[in-house]
Amino acid sequence: MSSKSPPAPPDAASRRAARPTIVYPAGAMPGPDMAVLDSARQTMVKIRDVVVPPRDARAFHVTRGQFFRIVSIDGPQVGDLNLWNAHDLSERFFSGKTRALHATHVSAGDRLWSTMPHLRPMATISHDTLGWYGWDADGAGIHDVIGTRCDPYTKLRLGGAAYDFCCHSNLSRALGAELKVEPGAVEHHVHDVLNVFMCTGFTRDTHQYFMKASPVRPGDFLEFFAEIDLLGALSACPGGDCSATHSSDVAACYPLLIEIFEPDRTTLDSWTWPSPSRYHRRHGGMPG
Ligand SMILES: [Zn+2]
């Protein structure tokens, strides 16, 4: 904030004393039946896996009703996740609304919501081995939906050199390879990510976005239940554990593993699948 702030009005203290109201209180919306997911998890069998090389990304498909895990292997590594409706790329993960509905960081029981006009759960987080971390003394948490993704455009604006292996470029290459087109032709589909395993927060004094070394260790995983047919892409961030830097070849960087599981479908008989939005989409009509 500028040091040239205007003088506070006489009633500044009382204006600041207004009580906070949670915008979307927990329980305002029916939550996922985690008991159903827990029973389905007991039956699931791994059917496929995909290794994401360091400073690169890979696309993957998950069918509605399957589970998928993002697994740390070899060393602490942050992953940047994009999700699309496998049949319509215009429906994609909506980081901002997910943040508003849940919190700045997500964990088991939270859902990844899609963009309007759909606004429905694309995936539900079914297990998080880092769920113990909670909020640390710096106010940081794990798996944030506040960062966007490292990208070459910001790096250049900040005076850096062009770098081709930021998460934005990695995700563009992976999606381009999946769709068999040049990365530049599909980069507009790449969107704000779920920062898997990333440890972040806002500084208390200036409210600036900060990162610190991820506590993830090999064997840790974040697991999702696919609510719709998904196309995903995961980038192994060039920042590695994001303890110090990103957008360069400096940080130690490790691969990530994506594992896909098929459960016994009868365990999902009582699951409530996401329904289409009931909004009529007239938006108040044409301007008069
Ligand atoms: Zn990144």
Side-chain angles (χ1 to χ4, degrees), residues 63-108:
T63 304
R64 182 181 96 135
Q66 292 178 338
F67 291 80
F68 66 101
R69 286 180 181 173
I70 297 172
V71 188
S72 169
I73 53 175
D74 294 2
Q77 174 63 43
V78 163
D80 285 49
L81 178 69
N82 267 192
L83 291 176
W84 298 268
N85 175 339
H87 312 289
D88 173 11
L89 296 192
S90 75
E91 182 180 8
R92 60 195 197 184
F93 172 53
F94 190 172
S95 164
K97 188 60 83 178
T98 299
R99 181 190 327 134
L101 285 168
H102 297 296
T104 53
H105 300 69
V106 291
S107 188

Side-chain angles (χ1 to χ4, degrees), residues 116-137:
M116 295 179 267
H118 310 280
L119 196 66
R120 57 179 171 169
M122 306 181 84
T124 294
I125 300 178
S126 49
H127 197 75
D128 176 11
T129 65
L130 290 171
W132 55 268
Y133 192 91
W135 306 104
D136 66 25

Side-chain angles (χ1 to χ4, degrees), residues 144-187:
D144 87 58
V145 282
I146 46 180
T148 54
R149 63 199 172 277
C150 55
D151 73 272
Y153 301 99
T154 305
K155 188 172 167 64
L156 281 168
R157 292 281 181 201
L158 296 178
Y163 180 70
D164 290 333
F165 303 98
C166 288
C167 290
H168 176 81
S169 297
N170 297 346
L171 293 167
S172 299
R173 280 199 314 283
L175 183 62
E178 172 70 22
L179 302 178
K180 298 184 171 51
V181 294
E182 289 296 317
V186 292
E187 69 172 313

Side-chain angles (χ1 to χ4, degrees), residues 1 5 19 24 33 37 55 85 118 191 210 216 226 237 259 263-264 276:
M1 203 184 295
S5 300
R19 291 171 61 84
Y24 299 111
D33 187 341
L37 293 191
R55 294 188 172 83
N85 175 339
H118 310 280
H191 50 276
F210 72 80
V216 70
C237 182
E259 296 181 316
D264 175 348

